[in-house]
Amino acid sequence: MLYRPMGRTGDQVSILGYGCMRLPQQNGRIDEARTERQIVSAIEQGVNYFDTAYFYHNGKSEAVLGKILAKGYRDRVLVATKLPLPLVHSRKDMDTLLDTQLKRLQTDHIDYYLMHMLTGMAGWQRLKQLGVEDFLERARQAGKIRRIGFSYHGGKDQFPRIIDDYPWEFCQIQYNYFDEHNQAGRDGLEYAAAKGLGVAIMEPLRGGFLVGKMPPAVQAVWDRAPVKRSPAEWALRWIWNHPEVSLLLSGMNEESHIAENIRIAGEALPQSLSAAELALVGEVKETLGKMMKVGCTGCGYCLPCPAGVNIPLCFSSYNDKYLFNDRMPQFNYLGFTAGVDGGQPSYASLCRNCGQCEKHCPQRLPIRRHLQEVAADMERFYFKPVMGLVRGYFKIRGLFKGARQAEH
């Protein structure tokens, strides 16, 4: 495992940080046994930075991580979590939320504490008016938090203003080869590093968009590379090629992915990609950009939708249809959004045009307009009749199965 300094903090962090937003699940809940095996294995192989948040896994991520680390691992790692800004309405709320997080994490201190999801100066000014500076200083003096930072999801113009307005020690930004100039972007990365801040990178794989099965046109570019690497390795190495990056966060939940990421994190030195390799990545970026319909990362901040629309799933199916020139995403869209798993329908045309989702979107996407595009393209004249038949089939099947079980 390679390590880098976390800005001016004096901490040496593993260049691979463990994101606890997408832990493995079973029956709709965190699979705690599997999660523990994965996290302990990562610690034993040198990962020393774990990032969670109040809202992750509906509030369960902090508690599960704390339970695991309490088994003799807490002193071997740095824990990062975040003040949930939507729940902060007073100075007292800040103390109450922090104490709740300390209890969940079964620890007396949080190493890296972030203001979660700042999008501009307005949000930061609101916190200041509520007394956040006093809160942070008192919490630090009490030993409850060690390092103070923020995660950012706004435009590039607001980012340096926030950095210059408080003595931050680190920040967390979205950055990957596809989003090199989106949000804080390369300019923000370099600005923060020049100010002495540690920089943690989130969404290095753009919510999985940059990995897995690649469209043939993209895979053809990767296949031309003299050194054969998976799409994930290319994406991670591109980020670690930047000396300004302290670490990147990967939401790992598959053993094979963890093993691959740790292997790469033992090899990826800054400025180690050649000019030809960087050009290849640029070609992939250009090819993907021409094929992609909606720039959604699948982060889920737009949820829950009051109308029940599964916005990330709608956009993912829509993108897949054009990225892979395949009819299967159309069938998947029908099956996944019809509610055949016992849930409620979640297709795009359920949108009521309320706009709540757009207020929370880190990408500032015109979600309502895109949902109209998805509905027009994916929900042809036969969609709702077929959806009704599918739901009816599974309902009858469930009733039949229940009757048979009752007989026994």
Side-chain angles (χ1 to χ4, degrees):
M1 177 64 63
L2 296 177
Y3 298 85
R4 297 185 186 181
M6 189 64 152
R8 60 172 177 263
T9 66
D11 294 331
Q12 292 289 316
V13 293
S14 56
I15 65 171
L16 176 65
Y18 203 112
C20 298
M21 182 181 177
R22 298 182 176 99
L23 301 174
Q25 297 188 64
Q26 186 175 45
N27 299 323
R29 297 182 178 182
I30 296 174
D31 186 336
E32 294 192 27
R34 188 180 177 196
T35 297
E36 181 173 342
R37 290 194 298 270
Q38 292 179 348
I39 287 178
V40 170
S41 174
I43 294 173
E44 297 295 348
Q45 295 179 80
V47 176
N48 73 351
Y49 189 98
F50 288 79
D51 173 88
T52 183
Y54 188 94
F55 290 125
Y56 291 175
H57 283 280
N58 295 317
K60 301 299 183 182
S61 175
E62 289 178 328
V64 169
L65 178 62
K67 184 177 178 180
I68 294 169
L69 296 181
K71 297 180 180 181
Y73 300 99
R74 178 63 184 90
D75 293 339
R76 298 174 59 179
V77 303
L78 300 166
V79 173
T81 194
K82 309 169 185 76
L83 181 68
L85 304 194
L87 301 183
V88 176
H89 304 288
S90 69
R91 170 67 177 78
K92 183 179 179 182
D93 287 342
M94 303 175 196
D95 290 311
T96 300
L97 290 164
L98 174 57
D99 288 341
T100 297
Q101 292 175 295
L102 290 168
K103 184 177 180 180
R104 286 178 175 180
L105 287 161
Q106 298 186 38
T107 186
D108 61 356
H109 72 281
I110 293 167
D111 301 289
Y112 283 77
Y113 200 58
L114 300 91
M115 306 300 99
H116 196 183
M117 200 177 169
L118 288 179
T119 59
M121 283 297 293
W124 171 235
Q125 291 292 353
R126 182 184 80 87
L127 287 176
K128 288 174 66 175
Q129 291 168 5
L130 292 174
V132 73
E133 291 170 297
D134 176 70
F135 159 70
L136 292 171
E137 186 56 33
R138 289 178 181 273
R140 193 207 296 271
Q141 290 178 358
K144 293 183 178 181
I145 58 177
R146 292 182 58 235
R147 313 295 187 192
I148 299 170
F150 66 98
S151 65
Y152 188 72
H153 296 273
K156 62 179 63 181
D157 59 325
Q158 298 281 301
F159 183 70
R161 293 181 61 194
I162 293 176
I163 285 183
D164 292 343
D165 199 62
Y166 185 81
W168 307 102
E169 294 164 282
F170 74 108
C171 62
Q172 185 170 307
I173 63 173
Q174 174 177 311
Y175 195 60
N176 54 68
Y177 68 76
F178 196 82
D179 293 309
E180 183 177 4
H181 301 294
N182 293 338
Q183 296 193 19
R186 179 187 284 270
D187 291 343
L189 168 64
E190 294 176 350
Y191 189 82
K195 291 283 185 174
L197 276 67
V199 182
I201 302 301
M202 57 184 163
E203 298 292 353
L205 305 178
R206 212 171 197 271
F209 172 70
L210 302 179
V211 298
K213 179 185 176 184
M214 288 285 101
V218 174
Q219 190 59 52
V221 179
W222 289 138
D223 289 343
R224 297 206 318 266
V227 178
K228 303 307 177 186
R229 296 173 177 141
S230 69
E233 182 165 357
W234 280 110
L236 298 181
R237 283 183 179 270
W238 184 89
I239 295 170
W240 282 320
N241 197 60
H242 295 71
E244 300 88 356
V245 169
S246 301
L247 65 91
L248 65 78
L249 297 167
S250 179
M252 304 175 284
N253 54 27
E254 292 287 343
E255 287 75 9
S256 60
H257 297 167
I258 297 171
E260 180 183 26
N261 290 356
I262 289 176
R263 174 187 63 78
I264 304 165
E267 304 170 357
L269 295 169
Q271 298 179 327
S272 58
L273 292 181
S274 68
E277 289 174 322
L278 291 173
L280 199 74
V281 175
E283 189 176 344
V284 167
K285 174 183 176 179
E286 183 179 358
T287 304
L288 281 171
K290 292 177 179 178
M291 303 171 69
M292 192 174 183
K293 289 290 185 179
V294 183
C296 174
T297 68
C299 70
Y301 284 119
C302 55
L303 301 177
C305 165
V309 179
N310 188 330
I311 298 168
L313 178 60
C314 290
F315 290 161
S316 175
S317 298
Y318 186 43
N319 279 330
D320 284 351
K321 177 180 177 181
Y322 289 91
L323 285 169
F324 302 109
N325 192 26
D326 190 353
R327 295 182 62 188
M328 187 55 66
Q330 188 97 39
F331 292 110
N332 289 341
Y333 179 82
L334 168 63
F336 294 152
T337 65
V340 296
D341 59 353
Q344 296 299 312
S346 57
Y347 47 88
S349 61
L350 289 170
C351 173
R352 300 172 187 162
N353 205 38
C354 70
Q356 178 175 309
C357 52
E358 294 180 4
K359 298 177 182 178
H360 301 290
C361 177
Q363 315 303 322
R364 306 289 183 86
L365 296 175
I367 294 177
R368 289 172 289 179
R369 175 167 63 80
H370 284 316
L371 286 175
Q372 291 174 356
E373 295 167 358
V374 173
D377 191 289
M378 305 289 278
E379 300 176 24
R380 301 300 174 86
F381 68 92
Y382 53 80
F383 175 78
K384 290 183 180 178
V386 172
M387 187 195 66
L389 291 173
V390 171
R391 283 178 58 81
Y393 166 76
F394 279 95
K395 183 177 181 179
I396 294 172
R397 185 182 178 189
L399 292 171
F400 180 69
K401 183 178 180 181
R404 290 192 60 185
Q405 291 176 340
E407 291 176 0
H408 297 284

